[in-house]
Amino acid sequence: MKVLLLGATGQLGWELTRTCPADIEIHTCDHPKVDFTSTLSIRNCVNRDRFDYIINAAGYTAVDKAEAEKGLARQINAEAVELLAGLCKNNNIKLVHISTDFVFKGTHYKPYLPDDITEPQSVYGRTKLAGEKAVRRILGKDAFIIRTAWLYSVHGHNFVKTMIRLMDEKDQLTVVDDQVGTPTWAKGLANVIWASIATCQQGINHWTDAGSASWYDFAVAIQEEALALGLLSKEIPIIPINTDDYPTPAKRPYYSILDKRYFLKKTGIRPVHWRKQLRKMLKELVGEII
Ligand SMILES: NC(=O)c1ccc[n+]([C@@H]2O[C@H](COP(=O)([O-])OP(=O)(O)OC[C@H]3O[C@@H](n4cnc5c(N)ncnc54)[C@H](OP(=O)(O)O)[C@@H]3O)[C@@H](O)[C@H]2O)c1
């Protein structure tokens, strides 16, 4: 089976590359060789070979910057995705498209089901939702979308690596305590994507690691685990604060736990608790630093 992976240089794309099963022939087309702002480059990339699947792990992911770069975020997260879906339809290619918990308002206080009402609060969320809608409109029942949340990996920029750097540099940290989600190791998600391809999944699906946490809880866990692994040498106070005390250009969901029950039922895959996954990722990070 031939799979074209878009966004291979990102966190998830990198994990997909290194977890790719032996029986899959993976092709990557990296940015800027493929540029989602250029129709021609997307067409050239897709027409390069006869692919069975395209995994779209590319995206405009700078949530705050997107508020000032609406047009670019829309081109990458919505218009390019619409074009990709059309190319997949015309060439009989299956598309796996990655989306986000930011399509929800986040005031629900119970886990979001895939068909719950979407109400994005940010440019990023709105453009990702527009991408989802294009995929569903064009591919119908063949659309395969996975919404996920709070991704991190040893590769790329993310909360875990930023926290470890700040914990090393600073004497204390303040972290938001009133936004709750599920930290998710991109490597775990990559394995789930490969398993989904092997079992031909369809529809809108939710996947994160198990459990939930606030950013503050996540930061506390990162410090504890990093100290235990020798990634940090001193403990610093971490102080919980409210979102109002840490204003950002983009509004984020207060509560964006994704309900995975239907996907678990369909696939039989069991999520691992986020804290266990965090420990595994940090062990990999130790290996990278040594
Ligand atoms: N990160 C999260 O917490 C999170 C949460 C929920 C959902 N998601 C979704 O999961 C997917 C993967 O996220 P991630 O964290 O792996 O993202 P990431 O690390 O930011 O990687 C994004 C990828 O998109 C590529 N890209 C950016 N602009 C492009 C353009 N104009 N043309 C072509 N490619 C372009 C990047 O290439 P360059 O590196 O060369 O720019 C990179 O390979 C995205 O769809 C994202 O919306 C992420």
Side-chain angles (χ1 to χ4, degrees):
M1 188 190 295
K2 272 188 195 169
V3 175
L4 172 64
L5 169 63
L6 299 170
T9 56
Q11 302 189 78
L12 178 60
W14 186 80
E15 297 288 5
L16 281 160
T17 308
R18 70 172 175 145
T19 54
C20 178
D23 59 344
I24 286 183
E25 191 181 314
I26 190 168
H27 296 245
T28 57
C29 199
D30 296 337
H31 183 224
K33 202 149 99 198
V34 64
D35 185 347
F36 273 27
T37 64
S38 153
T39 304
L40 184 64
S41 85
I42 298 173
R43 282 186 193 281
N44 286 344
C45 184
V46 171
N47 292 332
R48 218 174 50 181
D49 211 326
R50 290 183 66 83
F51 298 110
D52 301 294
Y53 267 91
I54 293 179
I55 305 176
N56 181 26
Y60 183 106
T61 58
V63 174
D64 287 319
K65 225 169 139 194
E67 297 297 313
E69 291 188 337
K70 287 190 181 69
L72 185 59
R74 176 157 289 276
Q75 270 186 305
I76 297 171
N77 290 342
E79 290 164 18
V81 175
E82 182 173 11
L83 175 64
L84 260 185
L87 290 169
C88 285
K89 171 116 184 143
N90 294 339
N91 293 290
N92 202 21
I93 302 169
K94 293 202 167 74
L95 176 65
V96 180
H97 177 64
I98 314 302
S99 193
T100 170
D101 56 328
F102 277 49
V103 298
F104 294 116
K105 187 171 182 188
T107 49
H108 213 168
Y109 295 104
K110 84 177 168 59
Y112 281 96
L113 288 163
D115 56 3
D116 273 335
I117 290 169
T118 49
E119 203 179 338
Q121 298 295 296
S122 61
V123 169
Y124 170 70
R126 282 193 288 278
T127 58
K128 290 295 290 184
L129 181 61
E132 277 190 15
K133 284 184 172 168
V135 170
R136 292 173 79 186
R137 179 170 41 80
I138 295 166
L139 295 174
K141 65 169 181 44
D142 290 331
F144 180 62
I145 295 167
I146 300 191
R147 293 190 188 126
T148 189
W150 294 30
L151 289 183
Y152 62 87
S153 156
V154 286
H155 175 84
H157 303 289
N158 53 63
F159 185 79
V160 176
K161 289 168 74 179
T162 303
M163 282 296 115
I164 290 176
R165 180 175 53 77
L166 293 176
M167 284 162 184
D168 188 43
E169 289 170 5
K170 296 196 177 281
D171 296 328
Q172 73 169 42
L173 272 185
T174 54
V175 183
V176 169
D177 190 30
D178 57 358
Q179 288 172 29
V180 175
T182 307
T184 301
W185 190 20
K187 187 177 184 183
L189 173 60
N191 282 318
V192 166
I193 291 171
W194 290 124
S196 303
I197 287 177
T199 53
C200 294
Q201 296 300 322
Q202 293 170 327
I204 295 196
N205 301 279
H206 285 173
W207 179 268
T208 59
D209 286 332
S212 59
S214 69
W215 290 110
Y216 166 77
D217 297 327
F218 192 20
V220 168
I222 291 165
Q223 176 162 257
E224 282 177 12
E225 298 292 343
L227 282 167
L229 289 167
L231 275 166
L232 291 171
S233 53
K234 63 170 193 338
E235 185 174 357
I236 60 163
I238 304 172
I239 296 150
I241 56 167
N242 293 331
T243 300
D244 291 349
D245 299 323
Y246 186 75
T248 53
K251 228 173 142 182
R252 289 163 165 77
Y254 278 100
Y255 179 92
S256 62
I257 309 298
L258 298 177
D259 190 317
K260 302 177 275 289
R261 85 180 82 152
Y262 296 126
F263 192 56
L264 304 187
K265 217 169 161 183
K266 278 197 295 186
T267 59
I269 304 169
R270 299 247 58 91
V272 178
H273 192 269
W274 66 264
R275 176 120 191 189
K276 214 167 169 182
Q277 298 286 65
L278 170 66
R279 200 170 301 140
K280 285 195 236 165
M281 177 274 194
L282 289 175
K283 280 185 181 157
E284 283 192 357
L285 200 58
V286 173
E288 290 237 323
I289 291 167
I290 291 167

